[in-house]
Each structure stands twice: as C-alpha cells, then as structure tokens.
Amino acid sequence: MAGTIKQQRLEHWLRPEIRALSAYHVTDATGMVKLDAMENPYGWPQDLIDQWLEVLAAAELNRYPDPEARPLVAALRAVHGIPAQSGVLLGNGSDELIQMIMLAVAGPGRVVMAPEPGFSMYQMIASFVGLGYVGVPLAAPDFSLDLTAMLTAIEQHQPAVIFLAYPNNPTGNLFDIESMERIIAAAPGLVVVDEAYHAFADATLMGRLPDYDNLLVLRTLSKMGLAGLRLGLLAADHGWVDEINKIRLPYNINSLTQLSAIFAMQHAALLSAQTDRISRDRDELYGRLQLIPGLDVYPSRANFILFRAPQGSASALFERLKQEGVLIRNLHKEGTALADCLRVTVGTAAENNAFMAALQQAL
Ligand SMILES: Cc1ncc(COP(=O)(O)O)c(C=O)c1O
C-alpha cells in the first residue's frame, strides 16, 4: 500500500520529461584498459606531484573558495589565448556551463539545436531545464555539416542556442569553418562552439570571439588531462558572460580545483606534450584500424576514433572486447546514423596495443 502511495506521489510531482530520462550511465571500468571516456591516460611525474601537494597543503578548507577565482581566470586566459576584451565564466566541468547557458535562455516554446550525432548532454540538459531540442542530421557519409539543412532548421525553429562541437563528439571531425560562420551569421540567438577537444585539433574559433556578439566558446580541462578536477570555461562577449554569471551558484569552483588548475596551468607545457603525443598516437591508431578489413574508420581530430563494425556485429564486438579487459564505448543504435558504431579513446601505446590485439582476436 505504502509502495503505491509513493509511486503515485512520484508520478504526480515529477515532471514527465524527467521521468522519461535515464540517468547518465558510466560503466564500471575497475581493472580494465579504460578507453571509453576520452581521458588523457598520462599522469604527472612524482616531483610534480610533490610540488602540487605542497600547493594543496596551503589550502584553507575552513574558508569558502575565492568566488571569482581571479588568479585562475588570469592563468586560463593566458594558456587558452582568450581575447582580452572577452569575458570568462568558469563551470564545474563544461557540462555545468552548458546547463547555465540553457537556464539563462529557457522559456516556453524555446528550443536549442545541435547537429546529430552529437554530444548527448545537449539534449539531456535541454530536458532538465524545459527547453525543446532540435537535432539536425549531419550529412552522410562523412558526418560533415549539412549547411542547407542547418539553415532551413534555423529559419524554421528560431533556436535560442545552437551547439557546434568542434571537433564533434562522437564523430571526431572538425566542421567546415565557412559553414560554421554562415550558421553564426544566420542564428537568431547564441552559437556555442564547444571546443572540448581543441588540444588535439589545432583549430579554434577563440580568436574570432571579437568578431561575433553571439558567439560563445566553451573549453574544458577534462580532455587535456584534468578530468578529475571538473573545470570548464566559457569565453564570450561580456554582455553574455555577465548575464549568465547571475545563474552560477556561489563558489561553484572549489578551492582545491582552483589551486590545482592554477598549478596545472603553470605546467601547461607538460600537458601539451601529453596531448601532442596523444594526437600522434591517434593518427597511428587510425592507420592501424584502417588496415582491418570490414571496419569503416572515421578520420579524427580529437582523442578518440569512431569506427563502424560489420553490420550487426558492434554489440557482440563490444562485449568481446570487454571480456578481454578492454572497455570502449558502444554507440550502436539500430536504424540511426550510429548503427554498428563503436568509439575508442586513444590511450597509451600499451593500451592501444591491448585494444588492437583484443579487437583482432574478437574479429
Ligand atoms: C563535446 C563535449 N563537450 C563537453 C563535454 C563535457 O566535458 P566536461 O564536463 O568534463 O568539461 C564533453 C565530454 O565528453 C564533450 O564531449
């Protein structure tokens, strides 16, 4: 009886769109070669860890963090080449910034738009905040932007925000820059260029911020090698940043993250050396995957590679790899653009070898 009342209460009070969602799922990777989450596989040398711990020892955990995180913002401005005239906002991961942007524009009848396949959180967060979501299919066979389809959808739906991941997740490609500029010019509202994978791409719109008052550039430290810190940044015209900042919960960047990220930015050369290494290893892994008959491998400018397995085999292949101790990401969904697709994150040379060995065995 009590169970039924509880159920009725849930059904009465929870928004239907929240009940329809599934929580973001992360597979347990204990003891596995972990190539599922686009993490940097490299840690820091011991002497750097010792220096970092000294910095952390000075943290005053009894006090609230610096609310504006000014020293951190200054360090990020320098390392990320943020134009002096642009504003900067920090988030607990770039996910939080995506949520803040959407909260700032949410309202009845409003929609956000993104090319598909794309980063799943754009649609999820739209649901959280009560925004509609319009996905515009990328063009076959290379997942390039379908400019005509995008411009038509913009005209039809008048989106409050358009998200363009550059490079795109999960496809790994960089969209054509002229098409992106056409979209920014045609957008009635904001365009967020999400550069989560910029460290591997050698391409950015950061320098173009002063040219567009509706352009926002999003970055994260997660893929550079600091996923555990949860720190993302948004750079844009002060007009937008100052307004979106009102939605930020006080002290959203904790003291340990602030100190650690300042320290990491002082050692940005080490992180760049790691991400450069990952980019080279990605190109090598791409070449090796291409040699496997039956796989369709998509060129990548990120730290992961999307590939299509022979028809109907992706889920079995994913499970076989898992049994062999290698965890990648199964993106297969029948009847979609990602049918038979798997995504592997570039790891260390040893991890990439383990993946290739397991894959060849499984095939
Ligand atoms: C395109 C894109 N944007 C943003 C994120 C979120 O990154 P984080 O919240 O770790 O900063 C991801 C994570 O996979 C991503 O792929």
Side-chain angles (χ1 to χ4, degrees), residues 240-261:
W240 290 111
V241 166
D242 295 348
E243 291 299 322
I244 298 168
N245 185 39
K246 296 176 186 171
I247 282 167
R248 185 173 59 84
L249 293 178
Y251 313 115
N252 64 328
I253 311 301
N254 73 70
S255 305
L256 299 183
T257 294
Q258 292 193 29
L259 289 172
S260 302

Side-chain angles (χ1 to χ4, degrees), residues 17-339:
E17 63 270 29
I18 301 302
R19 285 208 293 134
L21 289 174
S22 310
Y24 189 83
H25 173 70
V26 180
T27 308
D28 179 22
T30 311
M32 307 199 74
V33 175
K34 190 174 185 313
L35 301 177
D36 66 329
M38 286 82 101
E39 292 146 332
N40 173 338
Y42 302 107
W44 292 352
Q46 191 57 49
D47 61 327
L48 208 61
I49 293 176
D50 293 341
Q51 289 176 45
W52 168 58
L53 290 176
E54 265 176 47
V55 170
L56 290 189
E60 290 188 278
L61 290 185
N62 56 318
R63 303 286 176 202
Y64 279 108
D66 173 353
E68 306 293 334
R70 283 183 221 277
L72 173 56
V73 169
L76 291 168
R77 277 187 176 278
V79 170
H80 285 263
I82 298 168
Q85 62 268 59
S86 303
V88 176
L89 193 59
L90 304 185
N92 188 355
S94 49
D95 284 341
E96 191 191 32
L97 290 162
I98 295 168
Q99 188 176 52
M100 282 191 235
I101 295 164
M102 290 206 202
L103 278 169
V105 301
R110 293 193 165 184
V111 303
V112 298
M113 182 177 287
E116 295 247 303
F119 179 44
S120 58
M121 289 309 291
Y122 302 147
Q123 184 166 10
M124 288 266 290
I125 296 173
S127 288
F128 300 168
V129 307
L131 276 166
Y133 174 82
V134 178
V136 181
L138 291 168
D142 60 356
F143 294 121
S144 56
L145 268 181
D146 184 339
L147 183 59
T148 308
M150 284 296 292
L151 294 177
T152 306
I154 290 168
E155 179 68 30
Q156 187 186 344
H157 297 283
Q158 298 289 306
V161 189
I162 301 168
F163 287 90
L164 299 171
Y166 186 72
N168 190 39
N169 173 18
T171 57
N173 55 318
L174 282 172
F175 296 138
D176 171 61
I177 194 79
E178 279 171 26
S179 299
M180 292 183 41
E181 286 172 347
R182 291 278 301 278
I183 290 167
I184 296 167
L190 301 178
V191 177
V192 177
V193 173
D194 181 346
E195 298 189 350
Y197 301 96
H198 81 100
F200 315 97
D202 198 21
T204 176
L205 266 79
M206 189 67 90
R208 303 295 306 278
L209 278 175
D211 301 341
Y212 297 103
D213 67 2
N214 63 336
L215 172 63
L216 283 66
V217 173
L218 205 54
R219 295 257 179 108
T220 174
L221 301 198
S222 298
K223 318 300 172 181
M224 293 170 66
L226 300 164
L229 279 189
R230 306 304 295 130
L231 186 68
L233 73 87
L234 173 71
D237 185 86
H238 274 285
W240 290 111
V241 166
D242 295 348
E243 291 299 322
I244 298 168
N245 185 39
K246 296 176 186 171
I247 282 167
R248 185 173 59 84
L249 293 178
Y251 313 115
N252 64 328
I253 311 301
N254 73 70
S255 305
L256 299 183
T257 294
Q258 292 193 29
L259 289 172
S260 302
I262 292 168
F263 179 80
M265 291 307 102
Q266 287 161 354
H267 297 89
L270 173 86
L271 296 179
S272 306
Q274 292 178 346
T275 54
D276 288 351
R277 168 84 203 262
I278 293 165
S279 300
R280 287 196 300 276
D281 288 349
R282 168 201 62 209
D283 295 342
E284 201 223 83
L285 187 62
Y286 174 77
R288 289 166 78 187
L289 281 169
Q290 270 197 315
L291 295 177
I292 299 182
L295 296 188
D296 252 341
V297 192
Y298 292 90
S300 171
R301 296 288 291 275
N303 63 340
F304 57 85
I305 297 175
L306 181 77
F307 61 99
R308 203 182 293 273
Q311 202 182 352
S313 71
S315 294
L317 194 55
F318 170 76
E319 291 301 332
R320 283 289 302 279
L321 287 169
K322 222 165 119 184
Q323 280 160 21
E324 296 290 324
V326 179
L327 183 66
I328 63 169
R329 188 69 187 258
N330 184 7
L331 299 170
H332 167 69
K333 226 189 215 159
E334 198 62 53
T336 69
L338 291 176

